[in-house]
Amino acid sequence: MTSERPSVRGEMPWLQSGPLFRVHASAREQLDAFLNRHGYRRLDLDGHAMTSRSAAHLELARAFGFPDYYGENWDAFDESFEDVIEQHASGLVAVVWNHMNVSAGLAPATTVEVGCALLDKRATPLDVFAVGDGDDFDRP
């Protein structure tokens, strides 16, 4: 495994979105193949579970393995997520946010906050893929 970030658009040129790559659910196989080919450590979020700020923090804690004392606020997220990234510093990390369109519909402000928090960490070998249905998601 390498920490050199592969060219996402080089291998999936149909992606028009970014820096948060929005992948249509119908292209999940192409995304999975890309992540497997490059040895990404995959961390999956479930958009169905992110229906409020509190629920989003619970899902973040579950998906990223935050400690039991996680404070369910953005300062605690920054500290806890830094630990996750540090644990995987020698490789690539992909956050795959499944059903992002569901969380965006149920908790739009929280969805924006989560997206910003994740994108703030992109300086590390981290790529963020939002998977959902609808015209706002890219497909081949």
Side-chain angles (χ1 to χ4, degrees), residues 4-21:
E4 185 176 328
R5 188 180 278 154
S7 173
V8 175
R9 283 195 190 88
E11 293 191 42
M12 295 184 288
W14 45 268
L15 277 174
Q16 300 298 309
S17 56
L20 184 142
F21 300 109

Side-chain angles (χ1 to χ4, degrees), residues 25-76:
S26 66
R28 187 179 307 273
E29 284 184 30
Q30 289 95 328
L31 173 61
D32 292 344
F34 171 80
L35 297 176
N36 289 335
R37 185 168 46 256
H38 292 286
Y40 276 84
R41 164 76 168 119
R42 181 179 174 141
L43 304 169
D44 283 277
L45 290 172
D46 182 359
H48 286 124
M50 302 171 79
T51 58
S52 67
R53 178 181 294 138
S54 178
H57 278 289
L58 289 173
E59 176 60 10
L60 291 166
R62 181 209 60 79
F64 301 145
F66 291 167
D68 292 339
Y69 57 84
Y70 172 64
E72 296 184 18
N73 62 63
W74 294 114
D75 288 335

